[in-house]
Amino acid sequence: MKRSRPKAAAPQSAKPKQPKPRTARLARDAQQLITLAAHCTKAGSRYEDIFWEREIIALGSKLMAAGQDSVIEAALDSTLDSSLESDLDTHETLISFCEAAAECSSVDVRGTSFDTLLIAMPMVAWSRYAIASGPLAETAVKGEKSISKTASALIAALHTHILAKDAQACMSPYLYSIDQMPISFSGVHKLAQKLTHAAIDKTQPSFDYAKLPAAADLLADVRFLIAGVSVPEGAPLFRWQADVAVNRDTCAATWTAEAKPLMAGLLPGCEFECLLPDAYFVSCREADRRVRPYAIRSAVAFLETTLKVKPEKVYAVVAAVGEKAVTEFRISFITPGQSDVVHGSIWPVFSAEEDESEIIRVLRECKVGNIITPDGMFDAEHCDDCGAPLFANTDSEMVHPAWPDDAEHAAAHYH
Ligand SMILES: [Zn+2]
């Protein structure tokens, strides 16, 4: 199964992956993580499960607080690279508890115990203009800068539609693209601690967003708002926990009705869908999954509007990419009579059961006339100069996508 954390960068801006040197011996803490996770996979009772979970989360949190991501990564890589089924189970267990250690915690503040969780509010957006990201405008109240009106209104909507009544939330006033989100477990852990402690203290922390990279320029992409939530120990955090008659779909619908008009101000010139706010990691995966068909639809529409090529005339090559298993499909778009790939779109794969059938369904729905599915698996090749992923042409050669010189390409900023 694919490593399930948010990727370091949006797929189309991903740099080539450098092979990591294999260390002969794992650090003691890395080995300890593996041992604990292996015990957990074999536990015969819920009692024992809970025991191992606590041990793994305690060690994982300690390593994250010390910024020792390399130790955690070494444990994950070692279990992933193994061909033993039992090691892969250990790997899955380790990932899920490392995610838990990063996004949630239990803290004591002035004699009261709290449970905390980092949550994300995802949006799946598509546009022929650049999709906005960046800080939410601040408003000055009596000379002091305070959180923007939009942010306050979104937090109010979060309380109304998503959070249980005793929950407190603090939002980072920034519209994130995936490549602006924390990459490492320790980065997520740090942001979670900062926001959830502020939620408990009912303060607004300050952030330095200046070092965040620019968002990749994609036709369809995901955006997130991130908040820390705290509740008294053991209390329900989401509405559907507080009242079992409430279901997530109803919450998603009422949240969308109120939040979407607010978010529209953050995403000018875009069409978008709001997804249900949920825990950080699961939200990242869900948004990544949901944006995939939009990337194809936007590409086909863009070819039609910009190059005036009818979908029926377009060639799409759907290439499976990976080493041992397929990790993504790279979809090349080629115009009739040309051998160059004019545009490429990446479809990440989240489970071993996924094949190209859904991609083909979406391409057909878009009326793409020529769909080619070459045999075999391609290496995840990138351009040596700019790091852009390469895409298969109709001869199954991996090439650099190149937009025709005479066509306007760069997404304009919406004014
Ligand atoms: Zn290049």
Side-chain angles (χ1 to χ4, degrees):
M1 193 171 155
K2 187 181 155 72
R3 287 277 291 279
S4 49
R5 290 177 301 117
K7 289 172 291 298
Q12 297 192 6
S13 66
K15 293 279 179 293
K17 210 177 161 188
Q18 297 295 326
K20 280 186 197 162
R22 296 278 303 209
T23 42
R25 276 187 51 203
L26 285 174
R28 196 172 55 89
D29 282 338
Q31 188 54 59
Q32 179 71 357
L33 278 176
I34 295 171
T35 307
L36 293 170
H39 274 300
C40 188
T41 60
K42 297 189 187 85
S45 63
R46 184 69 192 132
Y47 178 83
E48 197 186 333
D49 273 346
I50 293 167
F51 176 86
W52 296 120
E53 283 175 23
R54 247 195 324 252
E55 294 281 313
I56 300 167
I57 288 176
L59 178 54
S61 309
K62 194 183 93 182
L63 292 167
M64 288 170 205
Q68 294 199 28
D69 287 290
S70 59
V71 175
I72 300 170
E73 293 294 338
L76 288 171
D77 286 347
S78 163
T79 46
L80 184 67
D81 290 347
S82 165
S83 53
L84 295 175
E85 194 60 38
S86 60
D87 280 351
L88 293 178
D89 290 345
T90 304
H91 178 78
E92 291 300 313
T93 303
L94 205 46
I95 282 194
S96 77
F97 293 130
C98 285
E99 289 186 356
E103 70 185 8
C104 51
S105 66
S106 300
V107 285
D108 284 305
V109 178
R110 294 177 291 277
T112 310
S113 300
F114 294 90
D115 289 330
T116 72
L117 179 67
L118 188 69
I119 66 164
M121 294 157 251
M123 286 143 267
V124 173
W126 59 101
S127 178
R128 45 168 317 191
Y129 301 102
I131 301 169
S133 69
L136 275 55
E138 289 174 323
T139 42
V141 178
K142 291 179 190 157
E144 275 189 38
K145 279 186 173 174
S146 78
I147 192 162
S148 79
K149 273 188 189 156
T150 308
S152 317
L154 282 165
I155 290 176
L158 197 61
H159 279 290
T160 309
H161 305 288
I162 306 295
L163 300 179
K165 84 175 162 35
D166 290 333
Q168 289 296 328
C170 174
M171 192 170 96
S172 167
Y174 194 93
L175 184 64
Y176 291 85
S177 73
I178 194 93
D179 30 2
Q180 294 163 335
M181 314 261 275
I183 299 165
S184 60
F185 283 117
S186 66
V188 177
H189 185 260
K190 195 171 161 193
L191 183 60
Q193 298 289 311
K194 185 169 179 169
L195 286 169
T196 56
H197 288 199
I200 293 168
D201 291 340
K202 300 188 174 63
T203 55
Q204 183 60 37
S206 58
F207 291 91
D208 178 12
Y209 297 122
K211 291 198 188 100
L212 294 182
D217 194 3
L218 303 178
L219 296 170
D221 206 353
V222 290
R223 291 291 182 269
F224 300 88
L225 292 164
I226 303 176
V229 182
S230 72
V231 287
E233 188 183 19
L237 192 141
F238 294 110
R239 280 191 64 212
W240 52 86
Q241 291 176 282
D243 178 355
V244 291
V246 172
N247 75 50
R248 287 169 189 255
D249 292 344
T250 318
C251 293
T254 60
W255 160 256
T256 297
E258 187 167 353
K260 199 172 176 189
L262 298 167
M263 288 170 168
L266 308 178
L267 289 167
C270 291
E271 291 190 68
F272 67 99
E273 241 185 69
C274 295
L275 309 188
L276 180 72
D278 205 338
Y280 182 84
F281 288 101
V282 80
S283 295
C284 292
R285 279 194 285 277
E286 184 59 14
D288 259 2
R289 191 192 317 274
R290 295 275 287 269
V291 75
R292 300 179 304 180
Y294 290 115
I296 293 181
R297 287 183 202 127
S298 308
V300 176
F302 199 58
L303 287 178
E304 187 168 11
T305 52
T306 318
L307 296 182
K308 315 289 179 221
V309 181
K310 289 270 171 231
E312 291 81 358
K313 304 267 185 209
V314 168
Y315 287 77
V317 181
V318 182
V321 168
E323 281 176 44
K324 290 179 196 163
V326 179
T327 53
E328 64 192 28
F329 287 95
R330 292 191 185 175
I331 304 150
S332 324
F333 294 93
I334 298 157
T335 53
Q338 301 288 321
S339 56
D340 291 340
V341 173
V342 291
H343 180 77
S345 176
I346 289 186
W347 179 288
V349 167
F350 293 94
S351 75
E353 292 77 49
E354 291 183 65
D355 60 13
E356 68 276 25
S357 52
E358 179 61 13
I359 301 171
I360 291 166
R361 194 191 65 74
V362 177
L363 286 167
R364 287 204 179 120
E365 183 192 280
C366 295
K367 302 191 168 56
V368 170
N370 312 282
I371 302 170
I372 301 165
T373 51
D375 290 336
M377 210 153 43
F378 292 79
D379 288 336
E381 289 182 59
H382 291 80
C383 168
D384 291 337
D385 293 328
C386 69
L390 303 185
F391 289 84
N393 64 15
T394 48
D395 296 325
S396 294
E397 294 158 349
M398 289 300 248
V399 297
H400 206 305
W403 200 253
D405 286 340
D406 50 345
E408 150 230 357
H409 180 215
H413 286 263
Y414 183 85
H415 296 286

